[in-house]
Amino acid sequence: MRTLLLYLLLVSVLLVTACSDALVRVKPYERGYFAQEKMLFSPLPASAEFEEHIFAVRESSQGGSVSFQGGCGCR
Amino acid sequence: MKRVFIAAGLFLAVLFVSAWAETLENKISVSVHGYGDDADEEIFSGKIDVFRIFRERLGFGVSLGIDAISGATKTASADAVSGATVVAAPGDDDDEGGDGDDDGSDYNARVYPSFRLVYDDGDNNVMGGAYFSFEDDYTGRAVFLNYTRQLNLQNTSLSAGITQSFDKWDVGGLDDDDRKERQVSLSVTQLLGRRTQIQAGYDLLHSEGHLGNPNRYIDFAVGGRVLERLPSDRDGYALSARLVQLLAEPTTVHLSYRYYDDDWGINSHTTNVALFQDLSETFTLGGRYRYYTQGAADFIKPVGQYAATDPLIGIDYKYTDFDAHTVGLMAIYKPGSGLESPGGGSGWGNTTITFSVDAYQTSSNDYIRAWYGQSRLTAYFASLGLEYKY
């Protein structure tokens, strides 16, 4: 729980301080590449959701997913 | 300088973002999926999702998914995990004492509707909703809430989310038929340049209740039938990172890594690499390789070493140490790319069709041998999706 609070605190601090100009790396008019499907973290969202479900059933690890996975008896 | 230090510290410490933030776009998605493995387990699945903007900055989405899941797995051989009689699984009761043959024709249905409400003003995105899952012997109910904040001219995004489930087994004979799971996710995404973005996150996970599968049991020669016995709670965390980089137009590389650790003693490493390349203005082809490796839970014993009096009995191979490899092909087809829709509205230009097919194989494992009668598990799964923005 302390770890969770620490991270929440860090996030809050970052939100308040609004980061730094050093993190402004790309201007709005320079983002053309990011509009492409293949530049998304999950270019095939339907496939990603299904395969994460398969991995959740077949493997013991959780977290780090790109979508919310609800409970089911198969896990 | 101080602010830079704080940002850098967070960036190192808080790994991975949930990508749950959803942009406000009217759209309909339909997808179908299939899974099959050499243990005769099959899943056929379909899902439809509709999202609509109903007020400025507000949208509402509903989805409905249906799975048809086969009766799962075969009866294992005698003297398997228990050193006693039989390890069994759902759908095997009718065959108990029989020839161990399961033709896989016993399908169970799972229906899982969900809804979500999304607020987005460009800098702040809030998504909340609920999820339900109904099966013969299991009911899942969950609520989720996620907040994403855009910073630095949208070069940086921070996200915090929580999900809490209140699931319930509908199986007789359990001391505790509840199962609750909670996941808290913190994440950050940063554009590193015009061709590169990274995402990192941290997930805290907690589960409690009946965490084992009541359909898995061992018939001991002394002690009778014993259900899988797992600890009644589990705490873990996952650290993960992703990178997407345009190597050179038109090729993109995706890299991801996840480390997972929990208080059952299981830890794992997951790496994934994928390449996407535009073959034409409308068609993108991709390939991927995923490697997964995990250690065993502390309570796992070698096959044949369990006794009915053991306080913890793990039957599923996924609590043992094993590796798994996945290779796959992906395709994205945008039939209207480069075409102008009349009036700039609907048309093929707003349609995306995706397809993927993967092969999955575990390493050789004694539990798989005991459970399925083969040294490793091989599976194939595929997805076909269509999204239309209207």
Side-chain angles (χ1 to χ4, degrees):
Chain A
M1 182 54 75
R2 267 189 299 183
T3 306
L4 173 62
L5 291 174
L6 174 64
Y7 283 115
L8 288 175
L9 179 63
L10 285 170
V11 170
S12 302
V13 168
L14 197 59
L15 288 172
V16 171
T17 55
C19 283
S20 162
D21 291 343
L23 294 177
V24 179
R25 309 291 292 267
V26 184
K27 304 294 185 191
Y29 53 85
E30 296 175 320
R31 291 184 192 154
Y33 290 130
F34 293 112
Q36 302 176 11
E37 254 83 6
K38 66 178 189 286
M39 290 295 288
L40 301 175
F41 283 112
S42 183
L44 290 82
S47 301
E49 186 177 347
F50 183 69
E51 75 173 34
E52 283 175 13
H53 186 71
I54 297 298
F55 293 143
V57 172
R58 287 294 177 212
E59 299 168 350
S60 251
S61 305
Q62 304 172 64
S65 61
V66 298
S67 63
F68 168 67
Q69 291 282 323
C72 76
C74 44
R75 287 194 295 140
Chain B
M1 184 63 190
K2 184 179 179 183
R3 288 192 298 180
V4 171
F5 173 76
I6 291 171
L10 181 73
F11 207 78
L12 291 172
V14 183
L15 298 176
F16 183 80
V17 171
S18 71
W20 300 348
E22 182 168 18
T23 55
L24 291 183
E25 291 178 306
N26 293 325
K27 61 188 175 186
I28 297 175
S29 307
V30 180
S31 58
V32 292
H33 315 271
Y35 168 92
D37 61 34
D38 56 2
D40 286 343
E41 185 155 3
E42 296 175 339
I43 303 173
F44 298 102
S45 177
K47 186 175 181 182
I48 182 167
D49 185 281
V50 179
F51 189 84
R52 182 160 185 83
I53 302 170
F54 67 92
R55 287 183 62 180
E56 187 182 9
R57 300 178 178 176
L58 279 176
F60 184 74
V62 293
S63 73
L64 178 66
I66 299 175
D67 290 351
I69 306 166
S70 72
T73 63
K74 290 174 180 283
T75 303
S77 59
D79 288 336
V81 177
S82 64
T85 51
V86 174
V87 178
D92 287 337
D93 281 355
D94 294 341
D95 192 48
E96 195 169 341
D99 58 8
D101 189 25
D102 182 346
D103 62 8
S105 59
D106 181 17
Y107 281 88
N108 297 311
R110 182 170 83 99
V111 179
Y112 47 105
S114 74
F115 66 86
R116 62 200 185 279
L117 187 66
V118 178
Y119 169 86
D120 193 321
D121 65 10
D123 289 329
N124 301 282
N125 181 292
V126 181
M127 179 170 72
Y131 168 96
F132 305 91
S133 176
F134 303 101
E135 297 172 73
D136 282 348
D137 58 359
Y138 194 86
T139 302
R141 290 166 296 188
V143 291
F144 53 92
L145 182 66
N146 190 76
Y147 172 66
T148 300
R149 167 79 171 165
Q150 299 285 347
L151 298 167
N152 305 319
L153 296 178
Q154 301 194 342
N155 277 239
T156 308
S157 72
L158 300 174
S159 182
I162 183 169
T163 70
Q164 175 70 55
S165 72
F166 309 90
D167 298 358
K168 188 174 284 290
W169 288 101
D170 185 16
V171 178
L174 300 183
D175 294 335
D176 181 3
D177 56 7
D178 290 331
R179 183 160 76 178
K180 297 176 182 173
E181 295 183 303
R182 182 172 62 246
Q183 178 173 338
V184 177
S185 303
L186 302 171
S187 56
V188 59
T189 303
Q190 175 67 45
L191 303 185
L192 294 183
R194 289 187 299 166
R195 295 165 175 255
T196 309
Q197 62 175 330
I198 59 172
Q199 190 180 72
Y202 176 74
D203 295 277
L204 270 177
L205 304 138
H206 173 76
S207 305
E208 62 185 57
H210 190 92
L211 304 182
N213 188 330
N215 295 308
R216 292 199 174 100
Y217 53 80
I218 301 174
D219 284 330
F220 286 96
V222 178
R225 178 166 294 184
V226 176
L227 300 183
E228 185 174 53
R229 289 180 186 148
L230 301 180
S232 59
D233 58 72
R234 183 181 187 182
D235 288 289
Y237 68 91
L239 297 167
S240 53
R242 296 165 184 266
L243 177 143
V244 176
Q245 179 159 28
L246 185 66
L247 295 176
E249 187 72 316
T251 304
T252 301
V253 63
H254 291 236
L255 301 173
S256 68
Y257 170 78
R258 175 186 66 180
Y259 174 74
Y260 170 83
D261 187 77
D262 67 33
D263 60 0
W264 288 8
I266 296 172
N267 60 61
S268 72
H269 302 273
T270 309
T271 55
N272 190 79
V273 57
L275 282 173
F276 289 88
Q277 181 155 11
D278 295 334
L279 298 184
S280 71
E281 201 168 62
T282 59
F283 189 74
T284 301
L285 189 65
R288 66 90 70 93
Y289 170 72
R290 176 183 183 270
Y291 175 68
Y292 174 82
T293 181
Q294 75 167 54
D298 295 335
F299 54 80
I300 283 293
K301 290 184 173 182
V303 169
Q305 297 293 309
Y306 284 113
T309 53
D310 282 338
L312 298 172
I313 298 176
I315 297 176
D316 197 330
Y317 77 87
K318 74 178 190 178
Y319 306 121
T320 69
D321 59 324
F322 71 97
D323 304 338
H325 304 270
T326 309
V327 294
L329 287 174
M330 299 86 77
I332 303 170
Y333 179 52
K334 299 194 72 168
S337 282
L339 300 178
E340 289 190 16
S341 301
S346 60
W348 280 112
N350 299 322
T351 303
T352 304
I353 298 170
T354 58
F355 175 75
S356 68
V357 58
D358 290 88
Y360 176 87
Q361 187 172 64
T362 68
S363 58
S364 179
N365 179 286
D366 287 343
Y367 270 64
I368 293 175
R369 191 175 291 110
W371 183 258
Y372 299 110
Q374 56 200 47
S375 62
R376 64 186 75 231
L377 191 70
T378 303
Y380 300 92
F381 51 96
S383 294
L384 176 65
L386 184 147
E387 181 182 88
Y388 175 70
K389 295 176 181 174
Y390 61 97

